Amino acid sequence: MENDDVFTQIIAKLKRVSQSGRDLEMEYELEDEYESIETSLLEGKSSVDPGKMGIFATALFIVGEMTGSGILGVPQALAYSGYSGFALMFLCVAVATYTGLTLSRNWMHVRDQYPRCAKPYQCIGNSAFGKCGEVAVQVCANVTLVGGCCAYILIAAQSLSRFLFIEFEVDCIGYRTCVAIMALVFLVVLLFGSGGDSLLVPVLATVLSVTFTLLIIYGIFQTGKSPNFQPYQVTAKSWFLSFGKFLFAFGGHSAFPNFQKEMKKPRDFPGSVIIAFLIKLVLYIPVGITGMLFFGDIVKPNILHNIDPQFKALNACILLLVAVQAIMSATILGNPVAAMIEGAIGAPHKQLFSAKRVAVRIGYVAVAIVVCEAIPRFDLIMALIGGTTINTAVFILPSLFHIKLAKKDKWLTFKKTLDALSITFGMGAGIVCTYASVSHICGRDEHSHSYFQQLTVGIVCTYASVSHIVDEMNIHTATFN
C-alpha cells in the first residue's frame, strides 16, 4: 500500500511501548493514533498536508503554463503536416493525457515518503531509480523551462516589433533589438519574483489566451482567404517539425506533480488534466483550422503576421495582449530555474536585490538573449524542446517510473502494456523530431545563413541599433537645449 511507511512507524512505536514504563498511557495514545490513520486510509486521505486548490483552479494552472505559444504556432503546424496533422495532434493529446494520469498515480504512490517535498517530480524519479531518476527529471525540467522562457521572449519581441511597425511605421528598431528590449522588461519583472503561487496568474494567463484567440480568429476572417491560396506541400521534414510543435503545445508535465501536491483532494487531479487538455483543444483547433484553410502555404510561424496590417486597432489589441501574456509566462517559467541556482549558491531568499540574486537573474537573462539571438524563431525552439526534453518528461519518464512503482492489481498488465507503448511512442517521436529540428537549425535559412551564424550578426545589429537610438536621443536633447 501507499501508506506502508505509516504502519512501519506504528510498529516502531509499539516496540517502544513494550520497553517503556508508561505502557497503559502510551497504549491509549497509540489506539487513538491508529484509529485516526485507519480512518484516513479508508477515506483515501494521506498524512501529507492538503493544499488549497480545487479541480478547476488546478486545470487553469495547467492551461496557463504553455498555451500561449501553442496558439500562435499550431496553425503552421497543422498546415505543414496536412490533414494528417489533426490525427497527429489528437494522438499527442491522447498519449499526453494518459501519461498525465500515470504521473498522478506515481505521485500518489510515493507522496507519503516525501511529506515536505518541494520538487515532487524529482522525488518520483528518486523513488523509482534513485539519483539517476532524480537527475534525469531535473535536467528535463530545467532545459524545458529555459527553452520555453526563450520562446516567450521571442514572441514578445515579435509582438513589439510588429506593433511599432503597424502603429507608428517605425522600422529603425530591428527585431533583434526588440529581443534585447523585451529581455530587459523580463529582467525587471523577474527581479521582483514570479507571482507563481497566486491563482491570479494562471487565471489572467488563461483569460488573455482566450481573448487573443478569439481576436486572432476574427482577424483571420477580416483578412480573408489568400487570393493565391495553395495548400502546403507536406514533406517528411515539415511533418516532423510539426510533430515537435504539437509535443511542445501539450507539454508541461514537469509541473503536474507540483500542482497535484497543492490540491485539496490530490486524487481528483486526473479530472484537472482532462479539463485542461479539453480547454487547450478548444483554443487550438479553431485558430489552427482557420489559419490553415485561409493561408495555406503562406501561413507564418507566428499567425499574427498573417493578419492584414491595415486593421491597426485590432492588431494593436492582439499584439499587446500577446506581449503581456508572453512576458508573464516567461517569468513563471524562468523563476524556478533562477531560484534553484540561488539556492545552490546560498543567495538570501528574502532579499530581492541582494548581490547574488541580482547577479544570477542578470546572468539568466543574458543566457536567454544569447539563445534568442542564435535561434531567432520561437517555432524552432518549440520543435527542438518539444522533441527532446518535453518529449522525455511527458511520454517516457512517467511511464518508465510507473512500471517501477506500480502496485499489483488486476489491471497491472494492461497498464504496463500502455506504458510500454507510451515509451516506444516517445522514443520514436524524440528521434525524428530532434533530427528534423536540429538539421533545420544547423542548416540554412531563407537568407542562406545558418542560425548559429546569425548569433554574431544579431549581436552586431543589436549594438548598431541601440547606438543609433542613443545618438538620435543625444541629437534631439542637444537641439532642445
Side-chain angles (χ1 to χ4, degrees):
M1 291 179 62
E2 301 170 3
N3 297 275
D4 287 346
D5 59 324
V6 179
F7 290 108
T8 302
Q9 296 172 15
I10 294 174
I11 292 170
K13 281 193 175 185
L14 282 170
K15 289 180 179 178
R16 290 197 299 272
V17 167
S18 63
Q19 297 170 0
S20 70
R22 298 183 297 117
D23 293 352
L24 186 60
E25 181 182 351
M26 287 198 67
E27 281 177 7
Y28 285 138
E29 291 178 3
L30 199 59
E31 274 186 28
D32 293 339
E33 182 175 351
Y34 183 86
E35 288 176 3
S36 173
I37 293 172
E38 185 178 34
T39 302
S40 296
L41 292 175
L42 290 173
E43 293 176 359
K45 298 179 181 178
S46 169
S47 59
V48 180
D49 294 335
K52 298 179 180 180
M53 297 197 303
I55 294 179
F56 192 70
T58 306
L60 291 181
F61 268 91
I62 297 173
V63 172
E65 192 179 5
M66 285 185 174
T67 302
S69 57
I71 292 169
L72 303 179
V74 161
Q76 191 190 62
L78 284 174
Y80 280 26
S81 56
Y83 289 104
S84 64
F86 290 97
L88 182 62
M89 182 169 66
F90 281 108
L91 178 62
C92 290
V93 173
V95 181
T97 301
Y98 171 75
T99 55
L101 304 184
T102 299
L103 198 55
S104 172
R105 288 195 294 268
N106 290 342
W107 176 240
M108 296 304 294
H109 288 323
V110 307
R111 65 180 185 143
D112 288 310
Q113 300 175 26
Y114 306 95
R116 297 291 181 267
C117 178
K119 300 177 180 179
Y121 203 166
Q122 285 85 326
C123 292
I124 295 171
N126 184 277
S127 182
F129 292 102
K131 194 66 177 177
C132 292
E134 181 180 349
V135 170
V137 173
Q138 188 71 58
V139 170
C140 288
N142 288 341
V143 174
T144 298
L145 291 172
V146 173
C149 180
C150 293
Y152 277 117
I153 291 175
L154 287 172
I155 289 172
Q158 285 185 359
S159 300
L160 174 62
S161 177
R162 188 165 176 80
F163 175 78
L164 293 175
F165 178 74
I166 291 176
E167 298 299 321
F168 304 104
E169 297 182 357
V170 174
D171 57 0
C172 63
I173 301 178
Y175 167 58
R176 294 178 183 277
T177 305
C178 290
V179 170
I181 293 172
M182 296 314 295
L184 290 176
V185 175
F186 167 58
L187 174 61
V188 172
V189 179
L190 190 66
L191 286 173
F192 287 94
S194 67
D197 295 329
S198 172
L199 183 59
L200 177 64
V201 174
V203 170
L204 183 58
T206 303
V207 170
L208 289 175
S209 297
V210 172
T211 304
F212 70 67
T213 298
L214 294 174
L215 290 175
I216 288 171
I217 294 172
Y218 175 74
I220 292 173
F221 277 101
Q222 287 292 99
T223 301
K225 191 170 184 177
S226 172
N228 301 317
F229 175 86
Q230 290 289 336
Y232 185 82
Q233 298 300 314
V234 179
T235 64
K237 187 175 181 179
S238 70
W239 198 86
F240 290 136
L241 282 172
S242 298
F243 198 174
K245 294 174 186 177
F246 289 137
L247 295 177
F248 185 96
F250 294 101
H253 287 47
S254 296
F256 279 15
N258 295 72
F259 300 152
Q260 185 178 13
K261 185 171 72 75
E262 297 302 323
M263 293 185 70
K264 294 178 183 177
K265 298 180 180 180
R267 292 186 183 278
D268 293 339
F269 184 72
S272 299
V273 173
I274 294 171
I275 292 172
F277 282 134
L278 286 175
I279 294 174
K280 285 191 174 189
L281 282 175
V282 168
L283 293 175
Y284 289 161
I285 291 177
V287 71
I289 290 176
T290 51
M292 174 185 178
L293 296 181
F294 273 67
F295 303 121
D297 61 349
I298 64 169
V299 64
K300 304 294 184 182
N302 186 338
I303 189 62
L304 300 183
H305 291 186
N306 285 105
I307 297 177
D308 194 331
Q310 70 174 334
F311 304 114
K312 290 190 174 184
L314 177 63
N315 275 281
C317 290
I318 298 174
L319 292 168
L320 291 176
L321 288 174
V322 170
V324 172
Q325 199 269 354
I327 289 297
M328 184 170 59
S329 296
T331 307
I332 294 172
L333 296 178
N335 195 72
V337 180
M340 181 196 69
I341 299 173
E342 291 162 6
I345 65 173
H349 178 65
K350 295 183 179 181
Q351 297 180 19
L352 288 181
F353 298 102
S354 67
K356 288 183 178 180
R357 186 177 186 275
V358 172
V360 166
R361 299 195 175 223
I362 290 176
Y364 181 85
V365 174
V367 171
I369 291 175
V370 170
V371 174
C372 292
E373 296 288 1
I375 312 175
R377 282 179 55 179
F378 79 93
D379 60 309
L380 293 182
I381 293 179
M382 283 176 62
L384 179 60
I385 298 300
T388 52
T389 56
I390 288 182
N391 172 69
T392 303
V394 172
F395 299 110
I396 298 176
L397 293 183
S399 296
L400 196 62
F401 294 161
H402 186 253
I403 291 174
K404 182 76 172 179
L405 298 172
K407 308 300 181 182
K408 290 184 178 180
D409 61 33
K410 62 180 181 179
W411 297 103
L412 183 59
T413 302
F414 177 69
K415 290 177 182 177
K416 288 192 174 182
T417 301
L418 292 179
D419 290 334
L421 291 174
S422 174
I423 293 170
T424 304
F425 174 82
M427 292 178 67
I431 291 171
V432 297
C433 295
T434 302
Y435 173 78
S437 56
V438 170
S439 64
H440 196 89
I441 291 171
C442 295
R444 303 278 173 174
D445 71 346
E446 62 271 20
H447 301 296
S448 298
H449 295 290
S450 74
Y451 284 100
F452 287 112
Q453 288 174 336
Q454 290 189 42
L455 175 59
T456 304
V457 177
I459 293 174
V460 172
C461 291
T462 300
Y463 175 77
S465 298
V466 173
S467 299
H468 176 73
I469 293 171
V470 172
D471 290 342
E472 289 292 327
M473 291 176 64
N474 290 337
I475 291 173
H476 287 300
T477 301
T479 303
F480 179 77
N481 292 333

